[in-house]
Amino acid sequence: MALPGIAALRRPPRAASFILGAVLMLTALWTVGEWRARSAAADLEHAAEGALALHLAALLSGLDKHRSVPFVLARDPEVAALLRDPADPDRRRYIDHKLDLLNAEIRADVIYVIDGDGNTLAASNWSSGQSFVGHNYGFRPYFRNAMRDGLGEHFAMGTVSHQPGFYIARRVDAPDAPGVVVVKVRFEDVEAAWARSDSPVFVTDGQGVVILTSRPDWRFRPITPLPEETRRVLRESRRYGAAPLAPLPFATGGPEDAARVVLLGDGVAAEGDPGSHLLVAAPIPGLDWTMHILVSRVPVHQQVALTVIATGFAGLLLLFGLSRLQDWRTSLRERIETQQRARAELEEKVAARTRELTEANERLLREAEERRRAEVVARQARADLVHAGRLAVLGQISASIAHEINQPLGAIRSYADNAVTLLRRERADAACDNMHRIAGLTERIGTITSHLKGFARRTSGPVGVLNLEPSVRNALALMEHRIRRAGIRVEVDVPAVQVRAEPVQLEQVLVNLLQNAADAQDGRPAPRIAIRAERRGATCVIAVEDDGPGIPEAMMPQLFAAFHTTKAGSGGLGLGLSIARNIVETFGGTIAGGNRPDGGAVFTVVLECAP
Ligand code: ADP
């Protein structure tokens, strides 16, 4: 019998569970991987933006510092004086020295002064082999812009030094002395600082060409291919010297973020770096430049891998745990089912056994009731039988009793007749004597009838302890007439003992034995009956013996069986001994009959003796 709750515990087949688990696991891994990729990319971007902001701040502060120099020099009266009188060699030398000193202080590349025609009058590198003095820079955009607008800034390759630099030019604000003061800045320190970082940092100009960079080999290479026209213009202007302007092998876009992820191609990717980088850019205020930082996305991949592995491991652990739980549930379900089956079987067995026991009990009760009824019937039958036996005994002794009564009745008649005669003769005394005799005789009759009445009517009482001797006497009294008439010699030897019996029934037994003894000696000379009793331990043995012919051998096997008699002709029923045994057994005693060696029969009754 399966309970509904147990049915709910049934699990799907193992293969289905496995597939479901695998699908869930892969989905979870994919989701976690995606989430981790996004969050790690965001973290990386955040960090890159922070680094970029720092680099940008450093760059701007350097630029501002250098911008102040031409600003101040453009207002310097000595510079204006030089422009007014460029032929004065002392003045030129003086300014050369001054610029040299200033350059050493601010650590720019070169500081120089150009007149209105573009000729360099003085320069901080006046004494070096690559001195700018005497060179004409009238074609340079920074010069032209400064002459036109007052300020010109331009990044370009140096025509003399062949070193790239950022040129900051200021027009000298003196109408009579046109000219420009220029500071060429090289950013080597800045680039060296950038190079110390793992992530490449670079600045592109308005065309997207790298001009400042932590990776020198990237310089003057555009981050996206330049249109042919732009390349031509740049080459002709020699702004970046003879640089081929080959684009950096950056493949923009990727599976994750098309705009910001670049894949570094051969030659630019660091060794062991798969090349996927995040490109973060920020415009540089005041210039058409853009600063970039390229951060490797390896940490993102590592974190994603780590997270996926950890999640996978946790998932496997979870699956393992779930599988163990499943197994545990299965075994629990099986255990519960087994227990329920066992309990159901047990309950069934108990119910069957209870049914059997109930039926057996009912059968026993029925049998007990039947037995009880049978016993009542048997007891009643036995009592009836005993009473019938007693009446039979009475019937047998009634003739002699009638004779016994007739004799005093006859005497009473004669005494009465005599008394009448005597009264007529007025012999009152004699008549009175006769009356007394009559009274004595009626008393004798009364004694005889009272014996009979007691024997015939008295119903049996319970078994108890009684004196043996009065019962023997009563039995002999009932037999008295027959004994006397048959001239039987009676020997009595009964001590004063107490036995367990019922008086009327004990008398009945004794009368029966006396009757049989008398019957056996009917017509025989010198009949004799002896009644003896003696104590033997806890019992009392009562023996009734006679001098008759003894019990016939053929009678022996059924001596106490009912309806076995040798006296059928004289009205014997064969019930006397059967009833006697019945009575003695109800007293808890035994009865036996046998023949004496010297002739005659002897019957012994053994009864329980009172202490
Ligand atoms: P009944 O006296 O009517 O025959 P009993 O049961 O008293 O029935 O006796 C059964 C038989 O046992 C008698 O018929 C007789 O043959 C035998 N029996 C009993 N008592 C004696 C005795 N004292 N001597 C010889 N035979 C006896």
Side-chain angles (χ1 to χ4, degrees), residues 396 512 516-517 519-520 546 550-552 555 559 564-567 572-578 601 603:
Q396 283 164 0
N512 230 307
N516 279 350
D519 287 349
D546 62 63
I551 304 157
M555 198 62 207
L559 189 60
H564 285 275
T565 177
T566 53
K567 300 175 218 166
L573 290 170
L575 281 172
L577 288 178
S578 155
F603 284 83

Side-chain angles (χ1 to χ4, degrees), residues 300-372:
V300 173
H301 298 146
Q302 282 174 344
Q303 285 177 26
V304 169
L306 213 68
T307 307
V308 167
I309 288 169
T311 308
F313 188 68
L316 282 177
L317 269 180
L318 187 71
L319 282 180
F320 178 73
L322 284 175
S323 147
R324 298 287 306 143
L325 185 70
Q326 189 82 293
D327 288 349
W328 176 78
R329 283 177 56 180
T330 305
S331 82
L332 177 70
R333 176 171 54 77
E334 285 169 359
R335 257 207 323 272
I336 290 173
E337 280 179 356
T338 309
Q339 280 174 1
Q340 281 178 339
R341 261 201 309 278
R343 199 179 319 146
E345 278 170 21
L346 189 68
E347 277 170 7
E348 220 160 89
K349 276 186 194 161
V350 167
R353 191 85 189 100
T354 308
R355 260 197 316 277
E356 279 173 22
L357 285 174
T358 309
E359 283 168 12
N361 196 30
E362 283 168 0
R363 215 167 36 242
L364 278 177
L365 285 174
R366 264 199 315 277
E367 283 173 12
E369 178 61 18
E370 280 166 15
R371 197 162 301 149
R372 197 185 58 75

Side-chain angles (χ1 to χ4, degrees), residues 212-230:
L212 303 177
T213 170
S214 59
R215 299 278 298 268
D217 53 323
W218 292 12
R219 201 185 309 283
F220 304 141
R221 296 181 71 176
I223 56 172
T224 50
L226 290 174
E228 193 45 45
E229 176 61 16
T230 312

Side-chain angles (χ1 to χ4, degrees), residues 129-471:
Q130 292 183 330
S131 169
F132 286 7
V133 178
H135 285 275
N136 186 290
Y137 295 112
F139 65 96
R140 287 292 208 175
Y142 62 83
F143 171 76
R144 280 193 245 142
N145 289 348
M147 284 302 287
R148 188 181 64 238
D149 305 327
L151 174 66
E153 289 182 342
H154 188 60
F155 190 92
M157 185 72 98
T159 49
V160 177
S161 63
H162 300 292
Q163 292 294 336
F166 183 56
Y167 299 86
I168 307 167
R170 279 270 177 186
R171 188 179 62 206
V172 177
D173 278 334
D176 55 337
V180 167
V181 179
V182 186
V183 173
K184 182 184 177 187
V185 185
R186 288 218 37 214
F187 301 107
E188 279 168 325
D189 295 348
V190 173
E191 286 178 329
W194 293 350
R196 282 195 288 277
S197 143
D198 287 339
S199 306
V201 180
F202 56 92
V203 173
T204 53
D205 67 5
Q207 275 81 39
V209 177
V210 175
I211 49 176
L212 303 177
T213 170
S214 59
R215 299 278 298 268
D217 53 323
W218 292 12
R219 201 185 309 283
F220 304 141
R221 296 181 71 176
I223 56 172
T224 50
L226 290 174
E228 193 45 45
E229 176 61 16
T230 312
R231 282 162 64 103
R232 194 183 55 76
V233 169
L234 283 174
R235 245 193 240 115
E236 280 174 4
S237 71
R238 300 196 62 78
R239 181 171 178 182
Y240 301 129
L245 300 172
L248 283 165
F250 286 1
T252 53
E256 296 100 328
D257 186 340
R260 316 204 61 177
V261 174
V262 293
L263 298 167
L264 303 191
D266 289 344
V268 291
E271 205 167 319
D273 188 334
S276 173
H277 284 69
L278 182 70
L279 180 64
V280 179
I284 297 177
L287 294 167
D288 61 350
W289 294 359
T290 307
M291 189 174 216
H292 306 262
I293 185 163
L294 257 184
V295 286
S296 172
R297 296 185 80 251
V298 167
V300 173
H301 298 146
Q302 282 174 344
Q303 285 177 26
V304 169
L306 213 68
T307 307
V308 167
I309 288 169
T311 308
F313 188 68
L316 282 177
L317 269 180
L318 187 71
L319 282 180
F320 178 73
L322 284 175
S323 147
R324 298 287 306 143
L325 185 70
Q326 189 82 293
D327 288 349
W328 176 78
R329 283 177 56 180
T330 305
S331 82
L332 177 70
R333 176 171 54 77
E334 285 169 359
R335 257 207 323 272
I336 290 173
E337 280 179 356
T338 309
Q339 280 174 1
Q340 281 178 339
R341 261 201 309 278
R343 199 179 319 146
E345 278 170 21
L346 189 68
E347 277 170 7
E348 220 160 89
K349 276 186 194 161
V350 167
R353 191 85 189 100
T354 308
R355 260 197 316 277
E356 279 173 22
L357 285 174
T358 309
E359 283 168 12
N361 196 30
E362 283 168 0
R363 215 167 36 242
L364 278 177
L365 285 174
R366 264 199 315 277
E367 283 173 12
E369 178 61 18
E370 280 166 15
R371 197 162 301 149
R372 197 185 58 75
R373 269 200 233 111
E375 271 172 14
V376 168
V377 169
R379 214 178 304 130
Q380 189 56 49
R382 197 188 132 275
D384 290 350
L385 189 65
V386 169
H387 191 242
R390 215 154 47 227
L391 291 180
V393 169
L394 274 179
Q396 283 164 0
I397 61 176
S398 61
S400 59
I401 288 169
H403 181 80
E404 187 77 352
I405 292 170
N406 274 343
Q407 201 223 345
L409 273 181
I412 287 168
R413 176 83 198 233
S414 5
Y415 283 129
D417 288 347
N418 282 349
V420 170
T421 309
L422 287 170
L423 282 174
R424 276 191 190 136
R425 290 177 190 166
E426 295 182 345
R427 285 175 60 188
D429 287 348
C432 193
D433 183 51
N434 275 9
M435 290 300 171
H436 278 301
R437 284 172 195 271
I438 289 170
L441 288 168
T442 52
E443 201 163 317
R444 191 175 151 202
I445 292 170
T447 309
I448 293 166
T449 53
S450 79
H451 268 303
L452 283 173
K453 232 162 66 188
F455 192 68
R457 283 195 195 154
R458 253 158 58 196
T459 50
S460 317
V463 175
V465 174
L466 55 95
N467 287 322
L468 177 61
E469 203 264 332
S471 292

